[in-house]
């Protein structure tokens, strides 16, 4: 039987609680978002069951014959998705912070970094870049859809999309800054490095690229802007990967050993 010291027990406990909270949050998110967009898909179809005969038959039907709810299906799905994302991000971050506070009371002595870092240094350049491009680009694209869409329903969806990204973006930054400002929970250098790793993951959690995530189903809901939406999604991902690559290449010479030194 392996006996863990105080530092190892602290690290293991922190990792386990995060795994449990994030697994629960992911399960709830999949259930709620699956139900939301499953309902949107059902209401958006051009078919219904004809039950006049003995055996039901799948017959074509115009969307105009659906109840009024079908015309607002995309708007309702967008609103519910933003509420679900905001609620779950806040819920998961709050649960982790409270669990950390309870755990900190059992640690008699703690060490900390002498330097306070910003969101980009902690969460990572790629994550922050994807969030920033997703937020700014999504707001601009939503406003464009709102002003240029032909139907009033699509215009309302566009404005709702832009407004939801803006509100969720403010919430994301506020939660990420709270994570970074929390005191370190470590008893030695090893657990301090673990604290840095966990803090990075905690800071990345609220920085949800909501614009990119919602643009994918939105491309099916608003056909006239589908090309723009897909360019926005792929462009955001490409810019994020490029930013991460540039940072890693810039740091590589600093991490490499000086010439003439052998590495075994």
């Amino acid at each position: 039987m392996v006996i863990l010291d105080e530092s190892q027990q602290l690290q293991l406990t922190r990792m386990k609680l995060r795994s449990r909270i994030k697994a629960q949050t992911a399960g709830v998110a999949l259930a709620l978002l699956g139900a939301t967009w499953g309902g949107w898909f059902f209401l958006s179809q051009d078919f219904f069951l004809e039950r006049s005969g003995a055996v039901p038959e799948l017959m074509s039907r115009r969307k105009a014959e659906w109840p009024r709810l079908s015309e607002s299906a995309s708007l309702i799905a967008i609103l519910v998705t933003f509420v679900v994302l905001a609620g779950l991000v806040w819920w998961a971050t709050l649960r982790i912070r409270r669990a950390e506070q309870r755990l900190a009371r059992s640690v008699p002595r703690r060490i900390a970094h002498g330097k306070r870092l910003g969101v980009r240094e902690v969460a990572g350049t790629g994550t922050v870049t994807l969030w920033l491009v997703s937020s700014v680009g999504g707001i601009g694209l939503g406003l464009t859809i709102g002003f240029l869409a032909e139907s009033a329903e699509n215009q309302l969806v566009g404005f709702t999309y832009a407004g939801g990204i803006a509100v969720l973006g403010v919430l994301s930054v506020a939660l990420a800054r709270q994570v970074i400002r929390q005191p370190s929970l470590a008893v030695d250098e090893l657990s301090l490095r673990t604290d840095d790793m966990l803090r990075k993951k905690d800071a990345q959690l609220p920085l949800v690229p909501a614009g990119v995530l919602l643009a994918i189903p939105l491309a099916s809901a608003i056909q006239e802007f589908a090309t723009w939406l897909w360019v926005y999604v792929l462009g955001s991902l490409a810019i994020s990967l490029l930013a991460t690559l540039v940072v890693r290449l810039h740091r590589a010479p600093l991490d490499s050993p000086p010439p003439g030194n052998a590495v075994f």
Side-chain angles (χ1 to χ4, degrees):
M1 181 177 179
V2 179
I3 300 177
L4 303 179
D5 60 22
E6 180 185 8
S7 175
Q8 293 171 330
Q9 289 178 353
L10 178 62
Q11 296 174 67
L12 183 61
T13 302
R14 297 181 70 189
M15 290 179 182
K16 283 183 176 180
L17 73 87
R18 279 168 173 76
S19 298
R20 183 178 69 254
I21 292 174
K22 291 180 180 180
Q24 293 172 352
T25 304
V28 174
L30 289 175
L32 293 177
L33 296 180
T36 299
W37 289 100
W40 164 81
F41 178 79
F42 173 76
L43 291 174
S44 302
Q45 299 309 296
D46 292 326
F47 301 100
F48 78 112
L49 286 175
E50 175 65 50
R51 299 182 179 275
S52 59
V55 180
E57 296 180 359
L58 197 62
M59 306 292 291
S60 177
R61 188 176 189 180
R62 297 193 305 273
K63 289 183 181 179
E65 297 177 7
W66 278 89
R68 181 67 182 173
L69 181 63
S70 65
E71 299 181 5
S72 305
S74 299
L75 176 61
I76 294 173
I78 290 291
L79 285 172
V80 172
T81 300
F82 277 122
V83 171
V84 168
L85 285 176
L88 289 178
V89 165
W90 176 82
W91 179 59
T93 305
L94 182 64
R95 289 185 66 194
I96 291 175
R97 185 173 63 183
R98 288 182 174 177
E100 292 275 88
Q101 290 173 348
R102 290 193 298 268
L103 187 59
R105 298 189 190 104
S106 64
V107 180
R109 60 183 182 85
R110 295 157 65 179
I111 64 174
H113 285 299
K115 180 182 179 181
R116 177 171 293 179
L117 301 177
V119 175
R120 183 181 62 82
E121 291 84 1
V122 175
T125 302
T127 299
V128 173
T129 301
L130 179 58
W131 171 83
L132 184 61
V133 174
S134 170
S135 299
V136 176
I139 292 172
L141 186 56
L143 292 176
T144 301
I145 294 174
F147 286 116
L148 300 182
E150 297 179 357
S151 65
E153 289 80 7
N154 287 344
Q155 290 177 352
L156 190 55
V157 168
F159 287 130
T160 303
Y161 176 73
I165 292 175
V167 172
L168 190 57
V170 173
L171 176 63
S172 299
V173 173
L175 291 175
R177 289 178 66 87
Q178 285 183 4
V179 170
I180 293 173
R181 290 175 179 176
Q182 289 179 10
S184 300
L185 184 53
V187 296
D188 56 16
E189 289 297 330
L190 180 60
S191 56
L192 188 59
R193 288 196 294 270
T194 302
D195 183 85
D196 292 339
M197 178 191 69
L198 296 178
R199 189 184 299 271
K200 178 177 181 178
K201 294 183 180 297
D202 291 347
Q204 290 174 343
L205 179 62
L207 296 176
V208 180
V212 171
L213 297 178
L214 267 72
I216 297 175
L218 202 62
S220 300
I222 307 180
Q223 294 294 331
E224 59 181 310
F225 292 96
T227 302
W228 289 22
L229 288 164
W230 280 112
V231 169
Y232 159 65
V233 171
L234 297 177
S236 299
L237 296 175
I239 293 174
S240 174
L241 291 175
L242 181 61
T244 303
L245 180 61
V246 169
V247 170
R248 289 187 177 180
L249 290 176
H250 177 70
R251 291 178 178 174
L254 301 178
D255 298 334
S256 60
N261 290 351
V263 179
F264 299 96

